[in-house]
């Protein structure tokens, strides 16, 4: 019998999209809209990419480790390798496709 993994558990090869957010200056309604848009992006990219928000107030060392000069910005990483970095929020009708393209071919990624 094989147990089905919880939906929140992603395969080891899953990439992460870190959305680095500034500490202040965002109106609550804008933040809610941003989080809703990121949830939509998560649905679009599926299990291939995990979309995570990283707030500078809550996780300053993580934000600073990416040496981001302007916030917000987003960084696509897979297994510690940075694949894409852009200023602003991950928006636009092609952003999901762009992120998935940056992952390259997924089939056979575990074989050496």
């Amino acid at each position: 019998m094989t147990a089905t993994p919880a939906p929140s558990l992603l395969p080891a090869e899953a990439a992460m999209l870190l959305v680095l957010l500034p500490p202040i200056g965002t109106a609550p309604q804008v933040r809610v809209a941003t989080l809703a848009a990121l949830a939509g992006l998560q649905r679009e990219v599926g299990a291939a990419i995990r979309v995570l928000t990283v707030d500078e107030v809550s996780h300053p060392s993580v934000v600073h480790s990416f040496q981001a000069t302007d916030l917000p910005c987003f960084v696509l990483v897979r297994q510690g390798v940075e694949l894409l970095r852009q200023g602003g929020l991950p928006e636009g009708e092609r952003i999901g496709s762009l992120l998935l393209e940056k992952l390259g071919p997924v089939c056979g990624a575990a074989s050496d």
Side-chain angles (χ1 to χ4, degrees):
M1 219 156 59
T2 305
T4 304
S8 63
L9 298 177
L10 295 174
E13 65 273 5
M16 290 186 292
L17 180 68
L18 303 173
V19 182
L20 308 176
L21 300 173
I24 56 170
T26 305
Q29 63 270 30
V30 172
R31 186 159 178 88
V32 168
T34 297
L35 295 177
L38 292 175
L41 177 60
Q42 179 65 78
R43 286 189 297 278
E44 184 179 345
V45 297
I49 301 171
R50 182 163 186 178
V51 179
L52 300 170
T53 58
V54 183
D55 189 303
E56 190 175 21
V57 170
S58 302
H59 305 286
S61 61
V62 175
V63 172
H64 292 256
S65 73
F66 283 94
Q67 300 172 345
T69 55
D70 291 315
L71 295 177
C73 76
F74 58 97
V75 183
L76 179 65
V77 295
R78 182 175 55 200
Q79 297 178 344
V81 177
E82 187 173 312
L83 304 174
L84 174 72
R85 179 188 295 236
Q86 285 189 358
L89 293 170
E91 299 175 313
E93 61 184 59
R94 285 214 7 94
I95 192 65
S97 299
L98 171 68
L99 294 170
L100 292 170
E101 287 170 15
K102 291 295 180 182
L103 295 181
V106 178
C107 297
S111 64
D112 289 329

